[in-house]
Amino acid sequence: MTDLPAHTILLITEDDPGHARLIEKNLERAGIHNRRFRFPHGQAVLDFLFRRGPGPHREEETAYLLLLDIRMPQVDGIEVLSRLKKDPVLKSIPVIMLTTTEDPGEVARCHELGCNNYIVKPVDYESFAKAIQNLGLFINLVRVPVVSETDET
Amino acid sequence: MDYEHMSKEELIERLRQLEAPGPSEKTGIRHRLAEAALRDSEERIRAIVNTAVEGIVTIDGKGIIESVNPAAKKMFGYTGGELLGKNISLLMPEPYRSRHDGYLANYLRSGEAKIIGLGREVPGLRKNGEVFPMDLSVGEVRLDGSRLFTGILRDITARKEAETRLAELAASLAGKNKELEAVVYVASHDLRSPLVNIQGFSQELSRACEAVRERIARTDAAEGGEELADLLNEDIPEAIGYILAGVKKMDALLSGFLRFSRLGRAALHIQRLDMNQMLEEIRRTLDFEIKSAGATLEIGDLPPCHGDSTQINQVFTNLLSNAIKYRHKDRPLAIRVHGESADGRSIYHVADNGIGIAEGHRRKIFEIFHRLNPDESEGDGLGLTIAQRVLERHQGRIHVAPAEPHGSNFTVELPNHPTPRREP
């Protein structure tokens, strides 16, 4: 179903483990079998990308794609997005925002900050699966850049 | 008159004087009578001034106090005659105190009145240094070439305090309202999150059951296979069906809450609205619904109003869709929209010949999620709640009355000039 470059790693940042699991199951059903890393909150994915703290860090010459939940405790998705887009190198990572509500103000803000796409997690399972499948198609279209060395900020 | 205190002899003497005319004598008596009448009227006026609840102060053209009534003395905290002969500016706080002589001189020179003949709210200064608000009206008397100014004063401290308390209360209420909307917003948002899981994993269970069912179908007649098939074909799908129906309902309620709370947070762009144009737009939008219902929509000439275009459009769209939704199946629906202006307000009526609203329900229809016939009509139970909230924010009003001979008549009132915002 998808020709997402096999080496692209999906970074799923989602504080609700159930949502993360549903996203993964649907990615699989949509035929997206890329490697996945899961982060429970915004700070964890920032540490990974900016190579801070003791946990795993981003590697060089690797393509990443970020699925980012908006509403998370402490460092939320909006903040992660704005921090990435301010970084000269990390700003090229495609970001897809995930949210539970279609707040027009929130959508506008995410687009302003430079997210690539915005998906409302519908409660309706069928449309949720469809959204994830569209995501797979969408990932094909986005040029996934290879992130190389960057200054730590 | 002094007759009542006279003795019989004195009265006879007085009568004799009056009857025996000497021209000078007669004039003398007339004069004395006139004097007595004047004294009497002076006393009456003095009594009125002394017992007045309002403070009354008179000053001359230089601002020197000539008289002060007891109410004024009490208001400013002075006793006896200590104010007489003092400059009136003694009773004013700065900067009025230093400027008053100038004001007075200016008036006497130019005749240009700032307060004389009028009244206004000014601060007063009590003997103990306390400044208080008062209503002051000043009149002018001209006597024999000199001028006299009369000030009538009313201490309005209590009224101002009540006004302040009322304003504080209104601000706190508006704050609470905003807080409540924020709580509703956050709660609805956060409650949707677990709902995604309940629905998503119920579907996962469904899929798992499907897989198990296929597996059983392939392994022929395993022991207890029939019982398993019942569970898989009936009991489990039934349970999941109820779970999903519950989720759907809850999701609809939460979406409604979100929509409602977003409304209170959205900024209003108040502008002059051409309501004839707006209603024609709504007619085009609802064209399909109107035609499907076989309805007629008559729109009269409507006065303009001031409001937020999107939100006011929503109010009238909701009213027209309600008219279509709650039409009577035995008579063709006729909707009539007309309007008029009165007292700076534009008043619109949306009348239909539909099923109408029983008297007991008229207040309830504005409650959130209230629906008259949940089984017979579509709707999220928010249309009128939203309309009412929009009008509250516009300092407008909405109410409903029965239409003659059938149906409902919704009346919407909006300001027809830009009004200052009341919300903080």
Side-chain angles (χ1 to χ4, degrees):
Chain A
M1 182 143 205
T2 174
D3 302 316
L4 181 69
H7 58 269
T8 303
I9 296 175
L10 302 181
L11 307 176
I12 300 172
T13 310
E14 170 61 77
D15 66 321
D16 187 314
H19 291 199
R21 187 76 193 104
L22 287 171
I23 291 165
E24 287 176 346
K25 278 174 169 287
N26 285 283
L27 285 171
E28 290 290 339
R29 278 197 202 105
I32 301 167
H33 304 292
N34 293 58
R35 270 179 82 198
R36 294 184 294 259
F37 293 157
R38 206 203 274 182
F39 301 90
H41 48 75
Q43 190 56 52
V45 79
L46 283 177
D47 287 348
F48 174 83
L49 290 168
F50 283 97
R51 295 172 165 150
R52 288 200 204 100
H57 289 167
R58 165 176 70 80
E59 282 168 27
E60 284 161 41
E61 304 298 326
T62 310
Y64 294 105
L65 185 141
L66 183 55
L67 294 179
L68 191 55
D69 184 30
I70 290 187
R71 212 173 156 74
M72 290 183 288
Q74 294 175 33
V75 181
D76 66 10
I78 302 269
E79 192 177 338
V80 171
L81 177 65
S82 72
R83 297 264 280 272
L84 285 194
K85 293 302 170 186
K86 276 184 204 142
D87 185 275
V89 174
L90 296 179
K91 72 176 180 192
S92 57
I93 295 181
V95 180
I96 293 159
M97 305 302 285
L98 303 164
T99 182
T100 45
T101 51
E102 200 162 9
D103 185 332
E106 201 177 65
V107 177
R109 182 149 167 65
C110 288
H111 283 297
E112 228 167 76
L113 286 169
C115 82
N116 299 77
N117 202 3
Y118 185 103
I119 290 180
V120 180
K121 289 182 230 168
V123 172
D124 173 5
Y125 181 84
E126 293 305 322
S127 43
F128 184 76
K130 203 170 273 168
I132 294 291
Q133 274 159 11
N134 288 342
L135 176 64
L137 296 173
F138 170 79
I139 290 169
N140 283 329
L141 300 175
V142 175
R143 195 176 58 86
V144 184
V146 172
V147 175
S148 58
E149 194 51 58
T150 176
D151 288 338
E152 291 196 20
T153 46
Chain B
M1 293 294 156
D2 51 357
Y3 303 116
E4 54 195 288
H5 306 297
M6 290 181 173
S7 67
K8 193 178 173 190
E9 285 75 14
E10 284 168 329
L11 280 169
I12 291 169
E13 174 61 15
R14 170 70 59 88
L15 206 60
R16 198 184 56 77
Q17 281 178 5
L18 286 169
E19 281 170 352
S24 62
E25 186 65 13
K26 200 169 186 176
T27 322
I29 287 170
R30 286 223 179 96
H31 185 68
R32 280 205 301 280
L33 284 173
E35 272 188 339
L38 191 65
R39 246 195 339 271
D40 186 53
S41 120
E42 262 178 23
E43 262 164 37
R44 284 165 68 103
I45 290 169
R46 188 168 303 122
I48 291 170
V49 170
N50 284 346
T51 54
V53 175
E54 261 81 15
I56 301 173
V57 179
T58 56
I59 59 171
D60 67 12
K62 292 198 168 64
I64 302 303
I65 299 173
E66 291 192 339
S67 74
V68 190
N69 78 337
K73 283 188 216 167
K74 192 173 163 217
M75 192 183 300
F76 288 94
Y78 289 90
T79 51
E82 54 185 325
L83 282 171
L84 296 180
K86 300 269 171 42
N87 193 302
I88 188 73
S89 63
L90 180 68
L91 303 178
M92 305 169 189
E94 290 295 352
Y96 301 91
R97 173 177 282 199
S98 321
R99 293 178 188 164
H100 190 261
D101 284 351
Y103 291 153
L104 204 56
N106 192 44
Y107 170 67
L108 292 175
R109 200 173 51 245
S110 69
E112 204 177 296
K114 295 262 166 57
I115 185 167
I116 291 153
L118 311 159
R120 67 173 182 199
E121 192 184 318
V122 291
L125 178 67
R126 293 194 225 274
K127 194 180 181 183
N128 66 8
E130 192 188 331
V131 175
F132 68 100
M134 57 183 193
D135 272 341
L136 166 68
S137 56
V138 179
E140 184 182 2
V141 186
R142 296 183 191 221
L143 282 173
D144 303 330
S146 73
R147 292 180 184 205
L148 188 69
F149 296 101
T150 315
I152 298 193
L153 313 159
R154 181 198 290 252
D155 185 336
I156 54 168
T157 308
R159 194 183 83 201
K160 296 297 278 186
E161 277 172 5
E163 279 172 11
T164 309
R165 270 200 304 279
L166 205 62
E168 280 168 3
L169 201 64
S172 125
L173 263 178
K176 287 260 185 308
N177 215 357
K178 277 212 157 346
E179 215 173 278
L180 191 67
E181 274 168 2
V183 167
V184 166
Y185 180 77
V186 170
S188 320
H189 194 288
D190 287 358
L191 284 171
R192 281 197 102 203
S193 201
L195 223 48
V196 170
N197 282 333
I198 296 172
Q199 173 124 20
F201 286 103
S202 299
Q203 292 284 9
E204 290 296 330
L205 276 178
S206 253
R207 280 169 187 269
C209 287
E210 187 59 39
V212 173
R213 194 183 299 131
E214 279 167 18
R215 186 73 172 274
I216 288 174
R218 266 183 278 141
T219 58
D220 41 19
E223 201 177 329
E226 219 166 278
E227 201 178 315
L228 269 177
D230 278 353
L231 284 174
L232 285 169
N233 292 330
E234 284 164 35
D235 296 12
I236 294 176
E238 185 191 32
I240 291 175
Y242 277 112
I243 292 171
L244 292 178
V247 168
K248 199 171 168 191
K249 174 77 184 153
M250 197 182 287
D251 186 46
L253 291 172
L254 290 175
S255 300
F257 271 134
L258 276 168
R259 216 145 68 75
F260 183 66
S261 69
R262 220 174 267 148
L263 185 77
R265 290 145 39 100
L268 293 181
H269 303 289
I270 304 290
Q271 53 179 331
R272 188 177 181 278
L273 301 176
D274 180 339
M275 296 303 285
N276 290 315
Q277 196 185 325
M278 180 179 285
L279 265 291
E280 280 309 321
E281 274 166 30
I282 296 173
R283 185 209 287 276
R284 279 196 294 277
T285 312
L286 294 177
D287 189 53
F288 177 76
E289 286 87 342
I290 293 169
K291 283 185 179 144
S292 314
T296 54
L297 171 58
E298 179 200 325
I299 302 173
D301 187 39
L302 303 173
C305 65
H306 273 81
D308 180 282
S309 163
T310 314
Q311 296 203 357
I312 298 302
N313 185 308
Q314 193 170 11
V315 168
F316 284 93
T317 306
N318 289 354
L319 288 179
L320 292 180
S321 341
N322 277 354
I324 296 169
K325 235 177 264 171
Y326 297 102
R327 63 184 181 272
H328 199 287
K329 58 180 191 301
D330 295 338
R331 51 180 175 262
L333 174 63
I335 311 172
R336 203 165 90 82
V337 182
H338 58 114
E340 75 253 359
S341 298
D343 299 330
R345 315 277 281 172
S346 293
I347 300 163
Y348 306 96
H349 306 278
V350 179
D352 63 52
N353 62 349
I355 57 173
I357 301 156
E359 200 182 340
H361 286 131
R362 266 173 226 148
R363 289 165 72 93
K364 275 194 205 156
I365 56 170
F366 295 103
E367 286 171 11
I368 193 163
F369 298 138
H370 183 83
R371 290 175 54 202
L372 280 183
N373 299 318
D375 299 328
E376 285 175 26
S377 58
E378 298 276 303
D380 55 11
L382 271 175
L384 289 175
T385 312
I386 283 177
Q388 193 178 42
R389 180 76 184 111
V390 165
L391 288 162
E392 262 170 33
R393 292 190 77 203
H394 282 78
Q395 292 165 41
R397 255 158 42 103
I398 181 168
H399 53 93
V400 65
E404 288 303 329
H406 315 283
S408 307
N409 184 358
F410 282 87
T411 303
V412 171
E413 272 184 49
L414 280 160
N416 65 10
H417 52 85
T419 43
R421 295 289 307 284
R422 198 170 40 195
E423 286 181 333

